[in-house]
Amino acid sequence: MLDLIRDAAPIAAATVAAALVLVVPLLVTSKKSKRTKRKKRRSKRIRDAPKTYVNGLVNQGSNTCFLNAVLQAFASLDYLRSYLEKRASCPPPDNTSNVTIALQHTLCRLNEPLQKRQSFLPTEVVWALRTNAKSLLNREQQDAHELFALLSQALTDEDEELRRPKSLFDVRTVRYMTGHKDSYPFVQNSERNPLLGLTACRVSCMRCGHSGPIRHATFDHVSIPLPQTSSCTLDQVLRSYAGIEFLDEFNCRRCSLSETLIAVEDKIFQLKRIPGKEATKLRQKLGVERVLIKNALENDNNENLDKLLEAMPLKRMPTPASKQTMFAKLPLVLAIHLSRTIFVPGMTGFTGMTVKNTCQVSFPEIVDMSSYSPTGYLANMPSELHSKAGSPLSSPTLIAAGSSRSNDQRSMRNTRINSLTYRLKSVIVHQGDHRNGHFVTYRRKHRDKKWWRTSDEDIREVDLESVLKEEAYMLFYERIGQ
């Protein structure tokens, strides 16, 4: 019996061992299978989870919030991003679009939807700006408005460099001139910087009623000083810019010519009484000047006459005048800088100081810019501000033969008004005083009514009502329906 038990023990042990060999792998495989399934389910949940974040920007050295604020503001501008994408898709071989390409890459990253909070350093833009950015980043006082102007100017300069005619020895120029139209794909059918617009300005003398020529100027943003009041509206701010401004002393060309003509004729009359060759020569010289002045009074803006008059000592006649500025051509992206700098003069023996204007500007989500150029005319006198009695901003439009002039003009005006409606896309806010502070940007979500509040690496979701209550420093509006 004992022998049987002894013989059975090894067999039982072997049987148990064999069972373990068979069962343990099954258990291990089962656990691995469960873990794999859990990982797949988790990855599916992550993949299907809503992407509710965007990248933040690291504040390097605690003094680059102004850079981060401008880049985040740019990230919500659809027209700007589209322009940059077209430019970056056909980069020139000579690296003349460093800022354009760097900005396109950075804005693309800032609009990438994320499922968790992330941030990065915008080093590509900093390197593209090179010495200009280095001087900004090392200064004690940083300003988002100044960096915005630097970036916009860099985009314009790079665009102009691409459009500038190349040397005849350039291979692509030769190909283009010989009929290969694909030699300059980034220039042909390309758009201009969507921030660029055109203003028209005219000065009118309030003494004689003479109006000078309409002068146009390109702008990439509008900088408007705020009133020293507790609050105002954006409508009031824009009307202060695109309206009538009164000048105390303006050197009116017509008044100056008229007074000079009177003085010349008086001298000629006096010389007639003086005999001698010297008096006769002087009288003849003054006679030539009189003819030039009369021709200049009869013919405004004659370049040949103006050059001849430069050598003539004209009488300076400071007179009161009115100056009107209007938007001759509004950009696709309207950037408005609300200048909050005030210089407070000091007491006797003390220098003044610069402080921040904390005026609360009430700004809407939608702005109709046709309200600030309702007729397309520049007023000659203040009484003509809201009428069509002034001079047109541009030459008359050619009307097709057989068409009704009044109906066509009305249709053109309605189309123009409808195309000048803008929607708020981003807001830069400065927190703090004039010497120290922090820049925060509110940017609209893509195709969403919600907004992001971006403060360097901190990204939060806010509603429009919260944005409209902020103390704005820069506003970015985009044209609707283009």
Side-chain angles (χ1 to χ4, degrees):
M1 188 69 177
L2 290 173
D3 293 336
L4 289 174
I5 294 173
R6 287 193 199 97
D7 293 339
I11 297 173
T15 302
V16 171
L20 288 174
V21 169
L22 292 174
V23 172
V24 170
L26 290 175
L27 291 175
V28 172
T29 304
S30 177
K31 288 181 181 180
K32 285 185 177 179
S33 177
K34 288 181 179 179
R35 282 199 298 269
T36 303
K37 289 180 180 179
R38 282 198 298 269
K39 286 182 179 179
K40 288 183 178 179
R41 286 196 298 267
R42 182 183 177 186
S43 62
K44 187 178 184 302
R45 285 198 304 269
I46 294 175
R47 188 171 59 254
D48 297 339
K51 298 177 180 179
T52 56
Y53 297 100
V54 289
N55 269 303
L57 292 172
V58 178
N59 191 339
Q60 190 175 19
S62 300
N63 66 343
T64 59
C65 63
F66 71 105
L67 169 65
N68 298 343
V70 173
L71 294 177
Q72 291 285 11
F74 279 178
S76 287
L77 304 179
D78 295 331
Y79 290 124
L80 179 62
R81 289 165 51 199
S82 174
Y83 166 80
L84 295 174
E85 287 172 4
K86 292 177 182 178
R87 276 284 183 260
S89 63
C90 300
D94 50 358
N95 295 325
T96 54
S97 295
N98 292 324
V99 175
T100 301
I101 295 173
L103 196 56
Q104 191 272 332
H105 291 168
T106 303
L107 299 190
C108 186
R109 288 190 66 182
L110 288 176
N111 283 286
E112 180 184 356
L114 303 173
Q115 294 169 347
K116 62 180 181 179
R117 300 180 187 275
Q118 293 182 16
S119 299
F120 67 92
L121 275 168
T123 52
E124 190 173 1
V125 173
V126 175
W127 280 108
L129 287 170
R130 295 178 180 173
T131 56
N132 291 330
K134 185 177 179 181
S135 63
L136 270 177
L137 294 173
N138 288 341
R139 291 174 52 185
E140 295 181 0
Q141 191 74 8
Q142 297 84 21
D143 184 29
H145 169 240
E146 185 178 352
L147 179 70
F148 161 82
L150 181 67
L151 283 170
S152 179
Q153 186 60 51
L155 294 179
T156 302
D157 290 344
E158 291 179 355
D159 179 69
E160 293 300 326
E161 180 64 28
L162 289 177
R163 296 174 186 275
R164 188 174 293 117
K166 306 297 181 183
S167 169
L168 290 176
F169 296 100
D170 182 69
V171 175
R172 290 192 306 164
T173 302
V174 175
R175 284 177 54 83
Y176 179 73
M177 294 178 66
T178 54
H180 294 80
K181 301 301 181 181
D182 59 339
S183 300
Y184 286 91
F186 48 87
V187 175
Q188 292 184 9
N189 302 322
S190 60
E191 302 171 0
R192 294 282 185 176
N193 184 346
L195 291 162
L196 295 182
L198 203 64
T199 59
C201 178
R202 160 166 274 179
V203 180
S204 302
C205 177
M206 299 183 69
R207 178 185 176 186
C208 68
H210 172 71
S211 295
I214 296 175
R215 302 189 182 280
H216 292 89
T218 304
F219 71 94
D220 57 10
H221 72 285
V222 179
S223 185
I224 312 174
L226 296 180
Q228 297 185 34
T229 57
S230 60
S231 63
C232 68
T233 64
L234 183 62
D235 175 72
Q236 293 172 329
V237 172
L238 288 173
R239 288 188 185 280
S240 70
Y241 178 83
I244 289 281
E245 176 187 359
F246 295 101
L247 309 175
D248 294 331
E249 292 189 0
F250 169 70
N251 187 32
C252 174
R253 182 177 183 272
R254 180 170 289 276
C255 289
S256 178
L257 289 172
S258 298
E259 291 297 323
T260 305
L261 179 62
I262 292 172
V264 168
E265 289 180 338
D266 186 53
K267 284 183 179 181
I268 291 174
F269 179 76
Q270 293 176 7
L271 289 171
K272 285 181 179 180
R273 301 178 180 179
I274 302 174
K277 293 183 178 180
E278 293 296 329
T280 303
K281 287 183 179 180
L282 184 57
R283 191 169 67 247
Q284 290 175 348
K285 179 184 176 183
L286 291 173
V288 174
E289 291 182 355
R290 177 173 60 181
V291 173
L292 284 174
I293 295 173
K294 285 185 176 181
N295 288 337
L297 286 170
E298 293 173 0
N299 301 281
D300 285 338
N301 308 322
N302 188 312
E303 294 183 1
N304 294 328
L305 288 174
D306 289 342
K307 290 180 180 179
L308 293 173
L309 290 170
E310 287 178 359
M312 189 182 302
L314 300 178
K315 283 188 173 293
R316 182 175 177 82
M317 292 296 298
T319 61
S322 62
K323 177 183 176 182
Q324 187 187 12
T325 303
M326 290 182 68
F327 296 105
K329 182 181 179 181
L330 281 160
L332 293 174
V333 178
L334 178 62
I336 303 173
H337 169 232
L338 303 175
S339 179
R340 294 185 173 275
T341 302
I342 304 175
F343 180 76
V344 180
M347 300 174 63
T348 305
F350 294 92
T351 58
M353 61 182 299
T354 305
V355 298
K356 178 183 176 181
N357 186 346
T358 58
C359 176
Q360 183 69 35
V361 180
S362 174
F363 54 94
E365 179 187 12
I366 305 295
V367 173
D368 183 5
M369 292 301 296
S370 64
S371 303
Y372 313 103
S373 53
T375 61
Y377 281 73
L378 281 177
N380 296 332
M381 298 297 288
S383 59
E384 300 170 356
L385 181 59
H386 300 292
S387 70
K388 287 188 178 181
S391 301
L393 288 174
S394 58
S395 58
T397 305
L398 294 176
I399 305 299
S403 65
S404 170
R405 183 181 180 89
S406 60
N407 291 338
D408 283 0
Q409 287 181 333
R410 189 181 302 111
S411 176
M412 288 170 60
R413 181 174 180 273
N414 291 336
T415 302
R416 179 171 176 270
I417 289 176
N418 292 334
S419 65
L420 296 184
T421 307
Y422 286 74
R423 177 180 286 111
L424 184 68
K425 296 304 292 282
S426 50
V427 182
I428 295 179
V429 177
H430 179 260
Q431 301 172 339
D433 55 26
H434 184 74
R435 295 182 177 276
N436 299 290
H438 178 65
F439 286 102
V440 174
T441 294
Y442 292 85
R443 47 172 291 202
R444 183 187 291 272
K445 278 188 175 184
H446 184 58
R447 296 178 182 177
D448 199 331
K449 293 182 179 180
K450 292 292 184 180
W451 286 65
W452 293 117
R453 180 189 182 275
T454 65
S455 176
D456 295 331
E457 300 176 61
D458 183 24
I459 310 293
R460 305 177 194 172
E461 189 180 86
V462 295
D463 53 21
L464 176 62
E465 288 71 21
S466 301
V467 177
L468 298 180
K469 294 177 182 177
E470 288 295 327
E471 187 182 280
Y473 180 63
M474 290 194 74
L475 300 169
F476 295 87
Y477 286 88
E478 272 195 341
R479 191 182 294 185
I480 299 174
Q482 291 296 307

